[in-house]
């Protein structure tokens, strides 16, 4: 599934840059659009990077493909993460902008919503900066970058009727700004009203039995986020040994397990 997902994202980025990826635009409020993926953005960075989001409620609505918009922000965040291996600050800001053709970036004219994503990373050399939106261009090591992240951002902004610009200075960070046209169709904005997550009690212990290490890691992480304590086992034999003399409130088990005992018996 992970390999298929990587292939899907690679194809999406290629099609987006070549302008053959069909868009499915919808009217969105910038604060809600960014808020919906803020957890993803936080997960894309490391714990040493401080994420700051400042999207005023009076920002104009935009009409964009929601998935492509999210992918563009994540691609920029991933580049920022790689530029700050020792930690730093990543900020996302948004403001309304009105341009005439003579003063707008890339001769933009009209009302636009400007997104500014700024990091405090190592920066990009001046000789490299003009190439960063080229497909397959990357300064990262082999197998650590496809060179399609920023090209997807460029393709998305262009196909949405906007533009993107980048500024950088060595050892002082990088700022990416992309401009998306204002939608004249109003969209109600109610602020972030996330449904409360169910919370477990710390005294409740769940035994997770799963032989696939990746699946087990995800399950344990989610259960801990819900507030439970967890024990782990990679086989029925290991699970039975943990149950011997240990109080467990719930067993969360795979069905097919290695050995003579499965998750049912």
């Amino acid at each position: 599934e992970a390999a298929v997902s990587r292939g899907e994202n690679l194809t999406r980025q290629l099609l987006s840059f070549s302008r053959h990826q069909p868009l499915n635009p919808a009217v969105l409020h910038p604060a809600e659009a960014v808020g919906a993926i803020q957890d993803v953005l936080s997960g894309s960075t490391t714990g040493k990077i401080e994420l700051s989001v400042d999207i005023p409620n009076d920002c104009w609505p935009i009409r964009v493909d929601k998935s492509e918009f999210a992918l563009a922000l994540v691609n920029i965040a991933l580049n920022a993460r790689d530029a700050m291996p020792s930690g730093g600050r990543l900020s996302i800001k948004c403001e309304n902008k009105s341009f005439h053709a003579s003063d707008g970036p890339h001769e933009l004219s009209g009302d636009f919503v400007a997104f500014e994503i700024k990091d405090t990373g190592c920066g990009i050399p001046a000789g490299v900066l003009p190439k960063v939106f080229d497909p397959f261009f990357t300064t990262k090591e082999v197998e650590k970058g496809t060179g399609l992240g920023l090209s997807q951002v460029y393709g998305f902004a262009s196909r949405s009727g906007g533009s993107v610009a980048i500024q950088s200075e060595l050892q002082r960070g990088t700022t990416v700004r992309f401009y998306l046209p204002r939608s004249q169709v109003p969209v109600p904005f109610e602020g972030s009203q996330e449904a409360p997550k169910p919370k477990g009690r710390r005294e409740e212990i769940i035994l997770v039995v799963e032989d696939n290490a990746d699946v087990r890691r995800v399950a344990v992480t989610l259960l801990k986020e819900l507030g439970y304590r967890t024990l782990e086992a990679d086989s029925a034999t290991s699970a039975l040994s943990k149950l011997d003399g240990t109080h467990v409130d719930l067993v969360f088990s795979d069905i097919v397990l290695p050995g003579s005992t499965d998750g049912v018996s």
Side-chain angles (χ1 to χ4, degrees), residues 204-220:
E204 294 177 321
I205 302 175
I206 297 179
L207 172 61
V208 179
V209 189
E210 168 60 62
D211 58 308
N212 184 299
D214 290 332
V215 176
R216 187 172 66 251
R217 188 181 306 112
V218 170
V220 167

Side-chain angles (χ1 to χ4, degrees), residues 90-104:
L90 176 64
S91 64
I92 301 175
K93 297 182 179 180
C94 184
E95 61 178 334
N96 300 328
K97 289 281 189 179
S98 295
F99 300 115
H100 297 291
S102 58
D103 62 7

Side-chain angles (χ1 to χ4, degrees), residues 6-61:
R6 285 194 294 268
E8 177 190 5
N9 288 335
L10 181 63
T11 304
R12 177 187 293 273
Q13 290 170 332
L14 279 169
L15 291 174
S16 180
F17 183 81
S18 64
R19 304 191 179 189
H20 290 297
Q21 171 74 11
L23 296 179
N24 183 26
V27 178
L28 307 171
H29 189 284
E32 290 187 335
V34 176
I37 61 167
Q38 189 162 339
D39 287 346
V40 177
L41 293 172
S42 298
S44 300
T45 57
T46 65
K48 296 180 289 184
I49 296 176
E50 178 187 354
L51 176 64
S52 169
V53 178
D54 181 16
I55 311 290
N57 293 347
D58 60 357
C59 278
W60 294 325

Side-chain angles (χ1 to χ4, degrees), residues 41 71 115 149 153 166 173 184 200 204 243 265:
L41 293 172
L71 183 58
F115 292 85
V153 177
I166 186 168
Q184 297 301 325
E204 294 177 321
L243 287 172
S265 55

Side-chain angles (χ1 to χ4, degrees), residues 20 147 193 241-242 259:
H20 290 297
Q193 297 180 349
S241 66
K242 292 181 182 297

